[in-house]
Structures are given as C-alpha cells and as structure tokens.
Amino acid sequence: MAPGGEQDMLSTEIVNKGVIESSGPNAGSLTFSVRVRRRLPDFVQSVNLKYVKLGYHYLINHGIYIATVPVLLVLVFGAEVGSLSSSREEIWSKFWNSTSAAHARYDLATVLAFFGVLVSKEQFLEAARKSGKFDEANLQFQKRILQASGIGDETYIPKAIMAGENCSTMKEGRAEASMVMFGALDELFEKTKIRPKDVGVLVVNCSIFNPTPSLSAMIINHYKMRGNILSFNLGGMGCSAGIIALDLARDMLQANPNNYAVVVSTEMVGYNWYKGKERSMLIPNCFFRMGGSALLLSNRRRDSRRAKYRLEHIVRTHKGADDRCFRFKGIRVSKDLMEVGGDALKTNITTLGPLVLPFSEQLQFFSTLVWRHLFGGSGGGSNSSTTATATANANKPYIPDYKLAFEHFCVHAASKAVLDELQRNLEFSDKNMEASRMTLYRFGNTSSSSIWYELAYLESKESVKKGDRVWQLAFGSGFKCNSAVWRSIRTVRKPSTNNPWL
C-alpha cells in the first residue's frame, strides 16, 4: 500500500476477473488481478493560501490595464480535405517560387491534403509495423494507447511518416512548418483584409523545431513584412506556449499603441517522430497530430467595432523550480505527469479565482480556506459522533464553482485520461468538456493550437453570445499551466467555410 496521502493518488481497476488457476498452489481457485494507476491529485483538498493572495495582488495591479486592451481574435484553420486542382509538382513549384503572398494563397485544408494525410488508428499501427522500427511488444503497447486515447480515425500526420521516410530532418521540418504556417496566415490576412506590412508584432511558438533562420523569420521573408517589425520566436515551452505567446503579444501591444500583433502557434509532428523503444517517448507518437493556428490582435480603437473578443486576464504558473517538475523534458510522458500537472493546475486556478469568481463564491471559498489555515483539522477531542461530523464538514474545503465565472471552456485536449481527471476534479459537466473532447477526437493533440480548435468548435455551433466569457486552459512541459480569459464583444454567427468544423 502507498504510504500516507500517496494512496489517495492511486486508482484501482479489476482485470482478468474470473480466471481459474489450472496449476500451482492456487489450482482450482477463482483469481483476478488488480491494476493500480496514478491519477490526478484531488488538488482542491490542498489549496494553498498564498496563491489566493497572489490572485488578489494580480487583480489590483494588472486588472485595469488588461481590461482596456481590445483584441481582435481570428481563428484560422481549415481541416476539410479539399480537392487539388493542380499536380503535386505544380503546387510545390508555385509555393516555393512565389515572390509575394498573393502568389501562394492555399487555405490550410488544401495544405493538409497536400502535405498531410488522414489516418485511422489501424492505418497508423500498420505503418508502424511496416517501418520495421518496433518489436511486437511495442506495437501492442501503442495499440493499447491508441484505443484508450480518445482520438478518432480522421486525424492528420505528415505523409512522410506514412511513407516510411526519414521525416526528422531540417528539410522536412521546414516544409511542414511552411505549409501549416503559411496556410493559416493566408486565411487570416484574407479574412481580416489586413496587409502583412501593417503587422507591427509577430510572435511564433513551436516547441521542438527551432531552425536558423527562425520560423518567425521565415514568415517575415515569405510575406515581405516591414523591417521594424517586433519579431519573437518561442521554443521549448510545451503545449501551453500558445498562451505564453499571447501574453507576450499583449505586452508588446501595451508598449506600442495603435498596432497589430499576429500570434502563430504550431508544432512539427514529423520532426518530433520517435522510432526507438523507450515507451515514454512512444506515447507522444500516438497522441500528437498536425495542426496550427494564427490569430490577429489589435489595440486600435476603431477595431473594437469588428472584434470578436476582448482579452481580460492571463494567469501563468511555472513550476520549474521544483526538480520533479523540471524532469519533464522533451517529448515524453511519465507516470508522474498527473501528479505534477495537478499541482500546477491547482496553483493556476487558485490564483485565477479572485479575478473571475463572483463575490459570493470568493467569500465562501476564502472563509473556508482561512478557517482551515488557522484551525487545521483539529476535531477538539470530542467523542460525539454528531460533533465529529460537524467538524469534518467545517474542515472540508469549499470547491468554487467555476461554471459561475464562465459560459465556455477550452481545456487543452491532451488525452482522454487527462480530460477525464480534469472533469472530475473541477466538477464540469459533459457539456462543459464537449469542445475539448470533440477536438481530441477529430484532430488529436495539436499541442499549443488545440485551444483555438476548441474555440472554433464553439463558434461553429453558434454557442458564443455577446457578453459570454471563455476560459482557455493549457498545460505543458516545464511544468507550466496557463489560463486566458476572454469576453465576447458580440454574438459570433456561423463562421465561413474555412472553419475546421464545417
């Protein structure tokens, strides 16, 4: 048995139930096996008072400034497979030989149809088998992961992977990056009617693939952006880097009034492909898929009339000072992920609470938290069962209802197991988790861009009304957990055909 509180972090499941031993000392006996797994900690039972105080400090010092930044958010990503009117060679020639953005306007649907391929779980496993890189035990391991992943049979991976080619090269990485980023940006500029030269701030995030010249430099060169553009390229920051990039863009806009900022979030799947035998490295192969997003932000007063959302809060939590959290390096998944992620999430949402929760919820939460902090779990030594029950109820922490603070939730679609644990701990309904689960099923884990697929899903359902609040929650290596809070400026009508869900 696990000592102390560690036992509470384990879940059990009966497997091989009803097996009758045919030999050995237990011959003729009915036996079963118990599988023990580590789950997300029940972090609401151990909320730290200092993070609540941090939230109030954040509110006092930054709330006014954040509330005054108007944001024009454009979700761009096409995932419907379009037919190609030209041959592969013709499109490739046009794409690479173009001298301006107007010469290479292919939406992201065409891009993925050209460079990526829709793959089912069976096709994925067959390609892994044909590669000759995995033994039977590792193939079966990947099969089990895929079956429990929550991913459907229409996700995208680079064609080079299915063809058995070596895709972990700088050339293939640049090709995939160019296709995904330029496809998304072409849609962005066409939809918003903003010229690339009008953009004053450019932030690109991609964790693993970081070439020289950088991805941001590739964009500047392709679109011939202006020479004094403020350009940033974020690498190695995990699946939550999209919100980090958003935070940086917001800061740059605050320092540079009357300007536009573009944020591009993506990950290069092919460049990260692992063909070894270490199982913690094989898991990301099963989850991660091609994807990307581009969004436009503005602090120009006149853009407030056509903007979709206003950015209200960003709360960032970094646990890198903890050696246990810092061990999450590269693209790997460890058995400690749930525990480490739960600790980062607990800190983040506790800090966020004072910024977004209604006063009644804050008062209830804060009073019970202070009571537990001052008086602990002491029951006063009473032998009365009634008194003991009352004391237990008094010491039980109040769980804030974040559904009172937000109408919509975009939780990073990491895996089914992670979404299940988050739903249980935050007491979300199936409706609250619908955008995240549907994104995971249709597109897989697209890393930092997944929260934008989820918002696109809500828009495609015409769910976002004027005044609605949206919570985007992402987490990743480091270990980091970040939140972004948006308020809808207007009711979002059914989007154009380049929405990935249409």
Side-chain angles (χ1 to χ4, degrees), residues 125-136 139 164 275-277:
L125 292 169
E126 184 60 25
R129 186 181 303 277
K130 288 181 178 179
S131 71
K133 300 293 183 179
F134 309 107
D135 57 27
E136 189 59 32
L139 287 170
K275 295 183 179 180
K277 297 182 178 180

Side-chain angles (χ1 to χ4, degrees), residues 110-131:
T110 306
V111 166
L112 288 181
F114 166 50
F115 195 76
V117 60
L118 276 171
V119 61
S120 69
K121 292 189 280 287
E122 290 301 321
Q123 289 172 316
F124 179 94
L125 292 169
E126 184 60 25
R129 186 181 303 277
K130 288 181 178 179
S131 71

Side-chain angles (χ1 to χ4, degrees), residues 6-119:
E6 186 177 352
Q7 181 177 347
D8 297 332
M9 298 179 188
L10 303 178
S11 63
T12 59
E13 176 186 2
I14 298 178
V15 296
N16 299 328
K17 184 177 180 181
V19 177
I20 299 178
E21 294 287 344
S22 59
S23 62
N26 297 321
S29 301
L30 188 65
T31 63
F32 61 89
S33 302
V34 177
R35 177 185 296 155
V36 180
R37 295 188 298 178
R38 186 179 293 271
R39 68 185 183 186
L40 191 70
D42 193 359
F43 47 81
V44 295
Q45 300 294 329
S46 56
V47 174
N48 197 317
L49 180 61
K50 68 178 180 180
Y51 299 124
V52 180
K53 291 159 53 178
L54 179 62
Y56 283 108
H57 176 79
Y58 183 97
L59 176 63
I60 293 172
N61 285 280
H62 301 285
I64 297 176
Y65 298 100
I66 296 174
T68 60
V69 180
V71 177
L72 175 62
L73 171 65
V74 180
L75 294 171
V76 288
F77 181 76
E80 295 294 333
V81 178
S83 59
L84 298 177
S85 58
S86 304
S87 68
R88 177 184 176 113
E89 292 75 15
E90 288 173 341
I91 296 179
W92 185 265
S93 175
K94 289 179 182 178
F95 193 90
W96 286 108
N97 296 330
S98 60
T99 56
S100 71
H103 294 156
R105 289 203 175 276
Y106 301 106
D107 62 31
L108 205 48
T110 306
V111 166
L112 288 181
F114 166 50
F115 195 76
V117 60
L118 276 171
V119 61

Side-chain angles (χ1 to χ4, degrees), residues 137-150:
N138 280 332
L139 287 170
Q140 291 301 315
F141 172 75
Q142 293 180 75
K143 182 177 181 179
R144 292 195 300 271
I145 293 296
L146 282 169
Q147 289 174 340
S149 65

Side-chain angles (χ1 to χ4, degrees), residues 180-232:
V180 174
M181 294 191 308
F182 299 162
L185 286 166
D186 280 350
E187 290 185 16
L188 176 67
F189 293 133
E190 183 176 0
K191 179 185 291 186
T192 61
K193 309 304 179 185
I194 299 297
R195 300 179 307 165
K197 287 186 178 294
D198 294 334
V199 177
V201 179
L202 173 65
V203 184
V204 180
N205 70 269
C206 181
S207 290
I208 301 298
F209 183 64
N210 288 286
T212 302
S214 66
L215 297 178
S216 59
M218 290 169 59
I219 293 174
I220 292 171
N221 176 262
H222 182 77
Y223 292 99
K224 308 305 177 190
M225 292 176 159
R226 66 198 202 196
N228 64 342
I229 189 171
L230 301 175
S231 170
F232 303 90

